[in-house]
Amino acid sequence: MYRITSQPIEVEEVTKKVIRPEAGAVVNFIGTVREFTKGKKTLSLQYEAYPEMAEKQLKKIGDEIKENWPDAVTAITHRTGKLAISDIAVVIAVSTPHRKDAYLANEYAIERIKQIVPIWKKEYWEDGEEWIGDQLEKTPYSNGEPGEVKPS
Amino acid sequence: MYRITSQPIEVEEVTKKVIRPEAGAVVNFIGTVREFTKGKKTLSLQYEAYPEMAEKQLKKIGDEIKENWPDAVTAITHRTGKLAISDIAVVIAVSTPHRKDAYLANEYAIERIKQIVPIWKKEYWEDGEEWIGDQLEKTPYSNGEPGEVKPS
Amino acid sequence: MIHIQCFAHLREQTGQDTITLDQTSLSVAELLAELSARYAIETESLMVAINEEYAAPEDRVSEKDRVALIPPVSGG
Amino acid sequence: MIHIQCFAHLREQTGQDTITLDQTSLSVAELLAELSARYAIETESLMVAINEEYAAPEDRVSEKDRVALIPPVSGG
């Protein structure tokens, strides 16, 4: 249910993992590579992961969702390697009996991915490249582990 | 972008319609046939549509989303005919530059579908069958057209 | 003559896809009253669509229009 | 000896996937201090993972552990 892969992600495949008779709703989040961020043109992206730990952390997010929304089932696949504009970087699928929970749990998942999953993004622009990080301005050892940071 | 079909819906196909360089997020809602509703076991469902009007109303929902979230692009496919448990009845895909809007606009779309799109569901149970309707307890000609009813 | 499309339980209840009325022009309210009188149709919760748009009770229906009865919807 | 995996800009900055320290046991805080002294690494924003879990400054690292430096993440 929680996978890091260097291959293109198929939305259908991740979705199918969570479809089940008890569920009436699936919400997917699909993160794609956007061309412009704050006016700056991205040419491509590279994602690097610490795969063993990343999959553990994805599972942890699924467990957290289970605690908050006991009827939810979650599947997450994140891609690594070089990605072009519009390529899919991540697919999160959450199924629930009723739709409201699926939206909430799904949004929780993407917030948490950006906090605790060891995956890094390198942006390639026309005039350079840079590893992106610390967007959330975490101060790791002052607030305890990022697992304790609650999503905004 | 707005389609009524008697064929199985492919999530990937609907998703691809909204993926574009300006978007960094796609949120899908996938409605599937749930086996139990309030303890009652559903065997299958049948959806019937007034297809020409349903597609017009789906487009209207897309237009309303454009008004509220100008950067959003929406695609909706709804299936008709006989569906088994876990079959996909509807897929809504919304892409936006930033994810928050995609969740909100998507949820708006499903609420509106349940209000204004001429599609009807017949439930088949072990002990009978029934056309479902009026779940929202609309009083059509007292509040004006359902187009004016705001989602809760 | 005005042709009125029926869907879902209305189609099953009336036993027809299309109801035909002799009139050439009438208001939505009149149309519903007519149907209520002729068929055992509960018109309280019905909407009428003219040319694929929801119509108001005072809107008029003529022979050229595509008319349909819209019971409470349950898609999604 | 303790082997420490490096990712992203740390991997590029240190020029290696894995940094090896001679010690057999030390705390996370000591490990970061050691790395800060040896390499031009900004340890302020670094987390340390022990056996694929985030570790606290007082946690101890030994030779059997899988250790990694985790710069601020940017997936999703």
Side-chain angles (χ1 to χ4, degrees):
Chain A
M1 303 295 269
Y2 308 100
R3 231 158 63 83
I4 303 295
T5 178
S6 60
Q7 300 303 308
I9 306 175
E10 286 182 26
V11 179
E12 209 90 44
E13 194 219 323
V14 184
T15 305
K16 275 180 186 151
K17 290 180 184 173
V18 303
I19 289 182
R20 59 210 158 97
E22 305 80 41
V26 179
V27 171
N28 289 341
F29 174 81
I30 299 155
T32 56
V33 178
R34 193 178 51 221
E35 188 167 23
F36 285 94
T37 298
K38 291 172 188 164
K40 200 161 183 180
K41 186 177 181 176
T42 298
L43 301 178
S44 68
L45 285 186
Q46 185 189 331
Y47 282 97
E48 179 174 331
Y50 175 9
E52 301 88 344
M53 183 172 172
E55 292 187 350
K56 263 196 193 179
Q57 294 293 314
L58 290 178
K59 180 180 181 311
K60 188 182 176 191
I61 293 170
D63 293 344
E64 290 174 0
I65 287 175
K66 232 6 183 201
E67 272 171 45
N68 289 304
W69 297 276
D71 291 332
V73 170
T74 306
I76 307 173
T77 301
H78 200 300
R79 190 171 167 191
T80 55
K82 197 128 184 177
L83 273 71
I85 302 301
S86 290
D87 278 355
I88 295 174
V90 62
V91 174
I92 303 166
V94 179
S95 69
T96 57
H98 300 283
R99 67 182 180 279
K100 191 80 200 170
D101 287 346
Y103 285 105
L104 292 172
N106 192 292
E107 199 165 359
Y108 178 85
I110 183 65
E111 301 289 340
R112 291 295 278 154
I113 286 173
K114 289 173 181 287
Q115 291 172 340
I116 68 166
V117 181
I119 298 176
W120 301 272
K121 174 167 75 176
K122 189 176 194 173
E123 296 239 19
Y124 293 84
W125 302 295
E126 282 167 322
D127 60 349
E129 55 190 61
E130 193 188 347
W131 285 100
I132 308 299
D134 215 11
Q135 295 139 314
L136 296 171
E137 296 177 23
K138 290 189 295 289
T139 330
Y141 286 119
S142 60
N143 296 329
E145 72 151 296
E148 294 163 41
V149 179
K150 283 288 151 203
S152 57
Chain B
M1 302 295 269
Y2 308 100
R3 228 159 66 82
I4 304 295
T5 178
S6 60
Q7 299 304 307
I9 307 175
E10 286 182 25
V11 179
E12 210 91 43
E13 194 219 322
V14 184
T15 305
K16 275 180 186 152
K17 290 181 185 174
V18 303
I19 289 182
R20 58 208 158 97
E22 305 80 40
V26 179
V27 170
N28 289 341
F29 174 80
I30 299 155
T32 56
V33 178
R34 192 178 50 218
E35 189 167 24
F36 285 95
T37 298
K38 291 174 187 163
K40 200 161 184 180
K41 186 176 180 174
T42 298
L43 301 178
S44 66
L45 285 186
Q46 185 189 332
Y47 282 97
E48 179 174 331
Y50 176 9
E52 302 86 344
M53 182 172 173
E55 291 186 350
K56 261 197 194 179
Q57 294 293 314
L58 291 177
K59 182 182 180 309
K60 189 182 176 192
I61 294 171
D63 292 345
E64 290 175 359
I65 287 175
K66 234 2 186 205
E67 270 172 46
N68 289 303
W69 297 276
D71 291 331
V73 170
T74 305
I76 307 174
T77 301
H78 201 300
R79 192 173 166 190
T80 55
K82 196 126 182 177
L83 272 71
I85 303 300
S86 291
D87 278 355
I88 295 174
V90 61
V91 174
I92 303 166
V94 179
S95 68
T96 56
H98 301 283
R99 68 181 178 279
K100 191 81 199 169
D101 287 344
Y103 285 105
L104 293 173
N106 193 291
E107 201 166 359
Y108 178 84
I110 182 64
E111 301 288 342
R112 291 296 277 154
I113 285 173
K114 288 172 182 290
Q115 292 172 339
I116 67 166
V117 181
I119 299 175
W120 301 274
K121 174 167 75 175
K122 189 177 195 172
E123 295 239 18
Y124 292 83
W125 303 294
E126 282 165 322
D127 59 350
E129 55 189 61
E130 195 189 346
W131 285 101
I132 309 298
D134 214 11
Q135 296 140 312
L136 295 171
E137 296 176 24
K138 289 190 293 290
T139 328
Y141 286 117
S142 61
N143 296 328
E145 73 150 295
E148 294 164 38
V149 179
K150 282 288 152 204
S152 57
Chain C
M1 293 203 298
I2 292 169
H3 303 284
I4 303 151
Q5 291 193 70
C6 299
F7 299 97
H9 73 269
L10 281 181
R11 185 176 43 71
E12 293 182 353
Q13 198 181 322
T14 62
Q16 39 199 327
D17 290 343
T18 310
I19 293 173
T20 302
L21 295 182
D22 283 339
Q23 287 89 331
T24 56
S25 172
L26 72 181
S27 74
V28 164
E30 288 163 354
L31 181 141
L32 287 172
E34 180 77 25
L35 291 173
S36 183
R38 283 218 214 172
Y39 300 86
I41 293 178
E42 175 58 74
T43 58
E44 276 295 298
S45 64
L46 281 191
M47 304 275 295
V48 172
I50 304 177
N51 302 323
E52 293 106 38
E53 299 288 349
Y54 288 104
E58 64 276 15
D59 288 344
R60 293 202 69 81
V61 177
S62 75
E63 291 190 288
K64 300 181 307 291
D65 292 321
R66 294 179 302 281
V67 185
L69 297 177
I70 312 290
V73 305
S74 52
Chain D
M1 290 201 300
I2 292 167
H3 303 284
I4 303 150
Q5 291 193 71
C6 300
F7 299 97
H9 74 267
L10 281 181
R11 184 176 44 71
E12 292 182 353
Q13 198 180 323
T14 61
Q16 41 200 325
D17 290 342
T18 310
I19 292 173
T20 302
L21 295 182
D22 285 337
Q23 286 90 332
T24 55
S25 170
L26 72 180
S27 73
V28 163
E30 288 163 355
L31 180 143
L32 286 172
E34 180 76 26
L35 291 173
S36 183
R38 283 218 215 170
Y39 299 87
I41 293 178
E42 174 59 72
T43 59
E44 277 295 297
S45 63
L46 281 189
M47 305 275 293
V48 172
I50 304 178
N51 303 322
E52 292 108 37
E53 299 288 351
Y54 289 103
E58 63 276 16
D59 288 343
R60 293 203 69 82
V61 176
S62 77
E63 291 189 290
K64 301 179 307 292
D65 292 320
R66 295 180 301 282
V67 185
L69 297 178
I70 312 290
V73 304
S74 51

